[in-house]
Amino acid sequence: MSASFDKFFDQDGNIREGVLTGNTWLKLLTDTDNVYVNAERLDSIGSLSGKETLMYVMRTLDILDEISSEKELNKQEKDVIETVLKWSEVAKGGLSKERNEWRKKGYPIDIHNIASAEIYKDETGDDGLIYTLIKTHGVIGQCIRGEISVSANKELLAYRKYNALDMKRLLLVLNECIIRAVSDKIWDSVKVSTKSLIDNIVSGELTEFSPQYRLQRLCPGEMEFFGSDVDFFAKEIFPKYELWYFEAALSSFDMGQIRTILTNTVKEIEISGQEVLHLNFKPLADSLLYDYEGKKHVNVYKKRIIEKYLLDSSVQNVDIDVKIENKSAFVDFKFSKVCEKLIEFCVEAERSGLLTFEKSIIVLYDMFGFRRDAFDRLNNEDKYLMTMNNVSASTKDSIIDYVTGESVVDVGSGGGILLDKLEGKFPDKQIIGTDISTNVIETLDQKKHREGHKWNVLVHNFVDSTMEREVGSIIFSSILHEIYSYTEGTNGKFDIDSVKLALRNAYDSLGKGGRIIIRDGVKTSGNAVRKIRFKTEAGLDFFKNYVKDFKGLKDIPEEKKVLFIDEDKLTVAGDINFIREFLFTYTWGIESYAHEVQEQFGYFTLEQYREFFEELGAKVIVAKELLEPGYPDNLGQYLNLLDENGNVVEYPASNCIIVAEK
């Protein structure tokens, strides 16, 4: 605690007997049900105690005691500053009854320097120097931050020469106390500017800062703005309004978004027809912040919804919220109840940890029947399709060489990159794209008309039916493992019959000489044991989560999937197929975990592919397996793969290419 605090409180934090007598300022700061603090200065929202304002005032008094001798303050000067510091924050205190009375009197209690001055005058009858210093308390700092005009200090001009007081010294000490009590670092950065502005006030010069300078001070750091932005502030904002909590609320937005917020705020003010002198963004600052892992963060879910509204004001479920009281406009955004619940869901899921968060999002997929794969399809279908189109297509290029016949079907066309490649290589063939997602087909259809493609698309699922007419080639590129992982067969998910049914229907859709072309994961033959030695505990944690969450490989007894986990040596051992599935999930990282853990990438060995197609009467003309080079390159950073005896071994094959001809 501080020395000033100890004057008024005992070691248990209880107020000392009799100290409230004659100290109304202290009663208002201690006996309050109002928690008012600039969240910008907090490390954690959860750290709020309700005593922040009181402790801030105590720090200002401590600093005054510390520097009064150094600054050679006389007793009258110190007494004036001490009184100002004690009373300057009282509008943030008081009980609800008192605060309501202040509002009825017209005191703008959220513009706390003005309201505190009026409360002081009510209590003491003084409307002189101390009243004026309370009223202008913090204004110099706001000028330096670009929030208000220099002319807001004009009331100080009447006291430039006041009795035995050195006003320059008095103002400098007062501002050092109030700024250092927030942060010594901030004081170090502004003390030269503070001294310069005080020099001007004492000399009677209230020269305004340029709009360019004010905007630079309002938007510190890397925020970019242009001449049009300076003109906007110079004409629409600076001459009309003081800005409160501007940086605290708006620093995470870009200048275009800030201008939209301000423009919409001004429109609401004009519609109201009320006089407004202050734009107060504290409600927005408070609502945008929350705690994650014990630290304050911007609520990115709420911010993204606001950003969408700022791009298109017709967006439903969110709108700007401007409340006007005592010439102040309080700015925030209001959300529909549905929108608030969704934000709440995302925040709570995130607080459970990233893995739980990703898995919680899957709950929404299950509830609403959205398609699920390695991409976040719920909140950004466009991003999914763009990602699909940007995927390296080297293997896809190679499988195109096996196409035959006059028509070719791309199963699960996604973003359409394979359709484009097929059209480029076979301009005279009929190319058909399919997907089980109506949204994907609609987007592909738009792409077709926008870019002038000849291929066609349709909603189709080979698990359900054959094509309506015979085709020359059918390509399954990284699709069959999704059919295997997500289709609810008679035995639930991970039912090989779903893959067999899709392939039979595809085979029946071929004309004579037609081909099924597969590019997908491959299962490893045999039941060898493989070990993994992780290089970090994070890798072992990932593995333990995978063991708990992965539901595939039903053909392997549970006790054989994982043979042991040695936490001390960061080593695990298990069946080669379980280890292989883990490896090729781990390489995608924790962000994709919730999706990837639901999929079994290898469902047939190379030999099982051969046997199945031969049973159909097909001729297997290509059957080869390969290891994508990116897998060992990436995984080598995090682990070593060993055989049963602890020797380093090569990774099992990850993919295969199968071509079966009718």
Side-chain angles (χ1 to χ4, degrees):
M1 292 298 178
S2 73
S4 295
F5 186 88
D6 291 339
K7 292 178 184 177
F8 303 104
F9 297 86
D10 62 24
Q11 60 184 3
D12 296 322
N14 299 314
I15 198 157
R16 296 184 186 278
E17 186 176 351
V19 299
L20 291 181
T21 303
N23 286 314
T24 304
W25 66 272
L26 185 59
K27 182 179 186 303
L28 291 173
L29 293 178
T30 55
D31 192 8
T32 180
D33 51 13
N34 183 52
V35 178
Y36 193 102
V37 65
N38 185 355
E40 182 185 19
R41 304 303 180 197
L42 295 174
D43 291 327
S44 166
I45 304 300
S47 67
L48 279 171
S49 66
K51 295 181 178 179
E52 281 72 21
T53 301
L54 172 67
M55 297 311 299
Y56 167 77
V57 172
M58 295 301 166
R59 286 197 299 276
T60 65
L61 295 173
D62 283 344
I63 294 169
L64 176 61
D65 286 341
E66 173 192 331
I67 66 176
S68 58
S69 297
E70 173 193 337
K71 304 297 183 182
E72 298 182 344
L73 292 177
N74 61 45
K75 184 179 187 304
Q76 184 182 4
E77 289 169 344
K78 183 178 180 184
D79 288 345
V80 167
I81 296 173
E82 184 174 300
T83 303
V84 172
L85 294 175
K86 288 176 177 178
W87 282 91
S88 288
E89 306 288 332
V90 293
K92 296 179 181 179
L95 297 172
S96 297
K97 181 180 178 181
E98 292 165 310
R99 297 176 65 77
N100 288 333
E101 287 297 321
W102 296 337
R103 286 190 180 95
K104 288 178 183 178
K105 292 180 179 180
Y107 301 166
I109 60 176
D110 288 286
I111 309 299
H112 62 271
N113 54 343
I114 296 176
S116 294
E118 298 303 325
I119 296 166
Y120 167 79
K121 186 170 72 172
D122 280 350
E123 179 68 20
T124 66
D126 176 18
D127 62 357
L129 174 64
I130 292 176
Y131 166 83
T132 303
L133 289 173
I134 296 171
K135 192 174 182 180
T136 57
H137 170 265
V139 168
I140 287 174
Q142 286 181 281
C143 292
I144 293 170
R145 290 197 298 274
E147 295 174 337
I148 65 178
S149 64
V150 174
S151 61
N153 294 283
K154 62 181 179 295
E155 293 185 52
L156 291 173
L157 296 182
Y159 299 95
R160 287 185 295 145
K161 296 178 180 179
Y162 189 80
N163 299 336
L165 302 182
D166 183 330
M167 286 300 296
K168 180 177 177 179
R169 181 170 62 220
L170 186 147
L171 288 173
L172 191 58
V173 171
L174 175 61
N175 279 275
E176 180 174 351
C177 291
I178 63 179
I179 297 173
R180 272 188 58 193
V182 174
S183 163
D184 283 327
K185 184 178 179 181
I186 293 175
W187 171 245
D188 288 340
S189 69
V190 302
K191 61 184 177 183
V192 174
S193 300
T194 301
K195 184 179 184 299
S196 176
L197 184 51
I198 290 172
D199 285 342
N200 290 341
I201 293 170
V202 173
S203 65
E205 299 176 6
L206 294 180
T207 306
E208 294 292 348
F209 296 133
S210 70
Q212 173 85 16
Y213 175 85
R214 286 186 64 179
L215 196 52
Q216 287 174 336
R217 302 300 297 185
L218 273 176
C219 306
E222 301 300 320
M223 186 180 295
E224 185 176 23
F225 59 86
F226 303 95
S228 59
D229 301 313
V230 176
D231 291 342
F232 170 77
F233 276 83
K235 294 175 182 177
E236 303 297 332
I237 304 300
F238 291 150
K240 302 175 182 179
Y241 308 106
E242 292 183 354
L243 302 174
W244 287 69
Y245 300 96
F246 182 93
E247 183 179 352
L250 301 178
S251 60
S252 64
F253 293 95
D254 63 36
M255 181 51 68
Q257 294 165 341
I258 290 172
R259 282 186 61 174
T260 302
I261 292 171
L262 290 171
T263 299
N264 292 350
T265 299
V266 171
K267 284 180 181 177
E268 293 295 315
I269 293 171
E270 291 173 348
I271 291 171
S272 76
Q274 299 183 60
E275 182 185 9
V276 170
L277 301 178
H278 319 281
L279 302 185
N280 192 319
F281 295 93
K282 190 174 190 301
L284 177 58
D286 291 344
S287 68
L288 271 179
L289 298 173
Y290 76 113
D291 281 349
Y292 176 59
E293 294 185 343
K295 292 290 184 180
K296 179 190 65 182
H297 289 269
V298 171
N299 188 326
V300 67
Y301 314 104
K302 186 174 289 187
K303 182 170 179 284
R304 284 177 178 172
I305 293 171
I306 292 172
E307 288 171 340
K308 192 171 182 68
Y309 160 82
L310 296 175
L311 284 173
D312 180 5
S313 60
S314 66
V315 170
Q316 298 180 348
N317 295 316
V318 61
D319 200 357
I320 198 160
D321 185 21
V322 180
K323 293 182 172 62
I324 300 173
E325 178 183 335
N326 290 329
K327 299 183 181 181
S328 292
F330 298 90
V331 184
D332 198 358
F333 286 87
K334 55 187 174 184
F335 302 87
S336 68
K337 289 185 178 180
V338 171
C339 201
E340 287 178 345
K341 290 297 182 183
L342 183 57
I343 293 168
E344 182 182 343
F345 167 84
C346 291
V347 169
E348 290 306 316
E350 183 187 60
R351 282 176 174 160
S352 301
L354 185 55
L355 289 179
T356 303
F357 171 73
E358 293 290 343
K359 289 188 284 186
S360 297
I361 296 300
I362 298 301
V363 172
L364 295 181
Y365 289 19
D366 289 335
M367 288 170 60
F368 297 110
F370 290 109
R371 169 177 168 174
R372 298 171 298 171
D373 47 34
F375 302 91
D376 185 346
R377 301 293 298 282
L378 173 61
N379 68 350
N380 204 330
E381 184 84 12
D382 292 339
K383 183 177 178 181
Y384 161 75
L385 295 175
M386 184 181 296
T387 305
M388 290 293 289
N389 283 331
N390 289 334
V391 168
S392 172
S394 59
T395 312
K396 292 184 178 181
D397 287 343
S398 67
I399 62 175
I400 289 176
D401 295 337
Y402 300 109
V403 168
T404 190
E406 297 304 313
S407 57
V408 54
V409 176
D410 172 30
V411 183
S413 296
I417 189 165
L418 190 54
L419 293 176
D420 291 346
K421 289 186 174 296
L422 287 167
E423 184 178 79
K425 185 161 186 175
F426 307 113
D428 297 327
K429 291 187 187 296
Q430 184 180 16
I431 299 165
I432 304 165
T434 72
D435 203 286
I436 64 173
S437 167
T438 303
N439 290 338
V440 169
I441 294 302
E442 288 175 351
T443 303
L444 283 171
D445 209 32
Q446 293 169 5
K447 169 183 167 69
K448 171 189 172 180
H449 293 294
R450 183 175 64 250
E451 299 176 6
H453 293 291
K454 295 180 181 179
W455 41 255
N456 294 299
V457 291
L458 56 89
V459 176
H460 182 263
N461 187 349
F462 274 106
V463 175
D464 297 330
S465 64
T466 61
M467 298 291 290
E468 291 186 358
R469 59 184 180 79
E470 289 185 350
V471 294
S473 298
I474 299 174
I475 300 175
F476 291 89
S477 181
S478 291
I479 291 299
L480 287 172
H481 78 273
E482 292 189 0
I483 291 174
Y484 178 68
S485 301
Y486 294 123
T487 302
E488 289 281 358
T490 55
N491 298 314
K493 297 177 183 178
F494 304 107
D495 184 351
I496 198 62
D497 286 343
S498 61
V499 174
K500 291 180 177 179
L501 181 56
L503 290 175
R504 286 193 189 99
N505 284 334
Y507 187 75
D508 290 343
S509 300
L510 294 174
K512 185 172 177 58
R515 292 175 177 176
I516 290 176
I517 303 166
I518 299 169
R519 169 189 172 275
D520 214 337
V522 64
K523 197 172 182 179
T524 307
S525 298
N527 54 3
V529 172
R530 287 291 180 266
K531 294 180 179 180
I532 297 173
R533 182 177 296 127
F534 293 102
K535 296 180 180 180
T536 66
E537 291 184 3
L540 183 62
D541 290 340
F542 194 109
F543 183 81
K544 289 190 288 187
N545 273 290
Y546 187 83
V547 172
K548 180 178 62 177
D549 295 332
F550 180 61
K551 306 302 180 187
L553 291 172
K554 290 182 177 180
D555 56 322
I556 301 177
E558 289 297 319
E559 66 273 11
K560 291 188 177 181
K561 290 180 181 178
V562 180
L563 300 178
F564 70 78
I565 298 177
D566 188 333
E567 298 198 14
D568 291 335
K569 296 182 179 179
L570 301 181
T571 302
V572 301
D575 181 272
I576 190 170
N577 275 295
F578 186 87
I579 296 297
R580 176 186 50 75
E581 290 291 335
F582 166 76
L583 289 172
F584 303 138
T585 296
Y586 187 38
T587 194
W588 287 99
I590 195 169
E591 291 81 4
S592 300
Y593 172 84
H595 302 279
E596 296 293 333
V597 75
Q598 298 180 87
E599 299 180 3
Q600 182 176 324
F601 197 47
Y603 43 88
F604 266 154
T605 65
L606 216 57
E607 188 57 35
Q608 286 170 331
Y609 267 120
R610 289 182 183 277
E611 292 174 357
F612 172 76
F613 280 115
E614 287 172 359
E615 287 177 7
L616 284 182
K619 178 183 178 182
V620 178
I621 59 175
V622 176
K624 61 182 180 180
E625 57 186 16
L626 54 108
L627 174 63
E628 292 287 356
Y631 286 135
D633 291 345
N634 182 48
L635 289 168
Q637 306 172 65
Y638 308 111
L639 56 84
N640 292 316
L641 184 65
L642 314 170
D643 63 16
E644 197 169 4
N645 298 316
N647 302 309
V648 176
V649 293
E650 294 183 353
Y651 288 82
S654 59
N655 294 72
C656 68
I657 295 176
I658 307 292
V659 182
E661 188 173 274
K662 189 170 183 178

